[in-house]
Amino acid sequence: MNSSVKPRLIGLTRDGLKAALGAAGVETKQLSMRVSQLWNAMYVQGATGFDAITTLAKPLRGEFADTFSLKRPEVVAAQVSSDGTRKWLIRFAPGVEIETVFIPDEDRGTLCISSQVGCTLTCRFCHTGTQKLVRNLTAEEIVSQVLVARDDLKEWPRAGRNSDERLITNIVMMGMGEPLYNFENVRDAINVIADGEGLSVSKRRITLSTAGVVPMIPRAGEEIGSMLAISLHAPRDDVRDVIVPLNKKYPIKELLEACRAYPGLSNARRITFEYVMLKGVNDSNADARELVKVIRGIPAKINLIPFNPWPGAPYECSDWERIEEFGEIVNRAGYASPIRTPRGRDIMAACGQLKSESVKARASERLAEMRSKELARMPH
Ligand code: SAH
């Protein structure tokens, strides 16, 4: 059988992995042990094939290799910014491409991952918003972004790296797409990434960013439990309706109510409100004062994001002094208001600059792709 259509094990939940192994004939009493062995191989050792999994007897390695795949997606391009930011263009299938970004800092390394190819939201200031949705990423494709980054950063034990000096310490679901419109796959992927016997990135270090899909926020709290970031960007509906059109469906008041009810909030565990600074649009002192008024009572920090330009963008970034004055007002009201340093602008890797060339395939092509995936998932 062609390896591209073998069922893939990356990104399955533990139960999913158990079911896949069971369907392939692994004995019930051995299932838990095999799941642990494979989990360690995939997420601690970074195995890309079964040959290297020495905890499995040789014949079993061969059997698994004939049945399953641990293959990585194709990295089409890898770029490094002058500030050390890295960006990978990853292809999962013909015409299904996304970008993943690694932002190294002195005290941490943040991996920014994508949840969809393209996006449905059309936020006016966002480059991804100009790319129509191609499709949701699967849990495998979301988790694979972390594995690809660890491969390239040589962050596996076999590369001689000590496991307590990690490069990727934080993960933000802030790449292409709206994660809460791909809920199940994002949930499963985050639960795999956070698993303490695998990649082990704690949920306190994973942040999911949403433009405000209000009905999904309670479920995110219950079933994902990561940190939450909200792309607020304006304190008033008339402005937000224009720059984040989703606001017409879920206005600020409802959004903030969902935030207030998000489980586990405290001063040590705050919601991040992202606020892109658009010259003359949302950056006045009056806007700052109104902002602190509407979020009152929510344990929060405000992340001010200087607008990152892209070809044809209809906005400009606020002047630096304006951003600082805005931040001062928010800060004086008792909220941390860090200004996000633009990173990787020279390789179009900064917030809101990501986009791939992928366009939605014709229905006939999609059908062919689905069929081959279905075949791949069939036990045999
Ligand atoms: N759809 C989710 C995930 C995207 S996160 C969301 O909207 O939250 C990407 C973050 O970058 C969001 O806060 C987004 O509003 C912001 N952003 C988009 N375009 C930007 C740009 N050109 N400059 C700065 N920030 C931008």
Side-chain angles (χ1 to χ4, degrees), residues 18-331:
K18 220 177 229 179
L21 297 179
V26 174
E27 282 178 51
T28 313
K29 62 180 189 323
Q30 293 199 330
L31 279 176
S32 299
M33 177 179 64
R34 297 297 175 223
V35 167
S36 302
Q37 287 169 323
L38 288 171
W39 203 268
N40 181 277
M42 293 188 288
Y43 302 126
V44 178
Q45 311 301 328
T48 55
F50 293 90
D51 285 354
I53 309 182
T54 51
T55 49
L56 300 176
K58 262 218 167 122
L60 191 58
R61 287 180 227 168
E63 269 175 50
F64 281 173
D66 290 339
T67 317
F68 299 115
S69 167
L70 296 177
K71 241 179 77 185
R72 297 281 194 268
E74 182 188 349
V75 176
V76 185
Q79 285 174 281
V80 185
S81 154
S82 57
D83 69 18
T85 299
R86 284 163 189 265
K87 182 171 87 168
W88 297 275
L89 174 64
I90 301 176
R91 178 183 295 154
F92 296 110
V96 181
E97 295 172 358
I98 55 88
E99 297 190 306
T100 303
V101 177
F102 176 65
I103 308 132
D105 252 311
E106 270 164 36
D107 57 339
R108 68 179 138 183
T110 306
L111 190 71
C112 176
I113 61 183
S114 294
S115 57
Q116 297 182 312
V117 185
C119 193
T120 54
L121 293 178
T122 66
C123 299
R124 284 289 299 277
F125 49 84
C126 180
H127 199 202
T128 311
T130 65
Q131 181 183 5
K132 284 209 180 112
L133 180 73
V134 176
R135 70 160 167 79
N136 283 337
L137 295 182
T138 63
E140 181 208 5
E141 291 162 344
I142 297 168
V143 173
S144 290
Q145 296 173 57
V146 183
L147 305 184
V148 163
R150 289 196 103 193
D151 290 345
D152 203 35
L153 296 169
K154 308 213 171 2
E155 205 189 354
W156 299 111
R158 69 181 125 83
R161 185 162 291 279
N162 194 332
S163 61
D164 52 1
E165 37 169 290
R166 290 193 154 205
L167 296 174
I168 300 172
T169 58
N170 294 57
I171 294 197
V172 292
M173 197 53 87
M174 295 188 185
M176 294 163 57
E178 169 49 52
L180 295 187
Y181 277 155
N182 183 14
F183 185 82
E184 276 87 7
N185 292 332
V186 165
R187 173 197 63 201
D188 290 352
I190 289 181
N191 282 314
V192 168
I193 293 167
D195 187 290
E197 279 159 37
L199 290 163
S200 221
V201 180
S202 126
K203 285 188 182 173
R204 305 204 50 164
R205 290 176 171 272
I206 301 178
T207 303
L208 182 152
S209 179
T210 177
V213 185
V214 170
M216 299 310 285
I217 292 177
R219 269 190 86 188
E222 271 166 45
E223 298 175 40
I224 301 178
S226 63
M227 305 300 283
L228 186 64
I230 302 283
S231 295
L232 189 59
H233 303 319
R236 290 203 329 260
D237 284 327
D238 59 341
V239 179
R240 197 167 189 269
D241 278 349
V242 175
I243 60 179
V244 182
L246 183 66
N247 194 68
K248 288 185 254 171
K249 206 161 172 190
Y250 307 119
I252 294 174
K253 190 161 169 282
E254 288 174 27
L255 176 56
L256 295 178
E257 269 162 25
C259 292
R260 284 198 169 83
Y262 194 73
L265 289 188
S266 69
N267 243 347
R269 207 161 171 276
R270 287 176 281 184
I271 287 190
T272 300
F273 288 105
E274 295 158 287
Y275 199 100
V276 64
M277 300 300 297
L278 304 173
K279 191 181 217 161
V281 175
N282 63 353
D283 63 351
S284 71
N285 290 349
D287 290 322
R289 285 190 292 266
E290 192 144 8
L291 173 63
V292 296
K293 217 159 102 192
V294 296
I295 63 167
R296 192 167 290 156
I298 305 176
K301 82 171 182 216
I302 316 295
N303 209 325
L304 300 178
I305 316 177
F307 168 70
N308 293 304
W310 40 271
Y315 298 109
E316 274 179 77
C317 184
S318 312
D319 297 330
W320 196 255
E321 301 76 54
R322 183 90 298 274
I323 300 179
E324 285 190 327
E325 199 174 326
F326 191 101
E328 261 301 306
I329 295 173
V330 175
N331 199 260

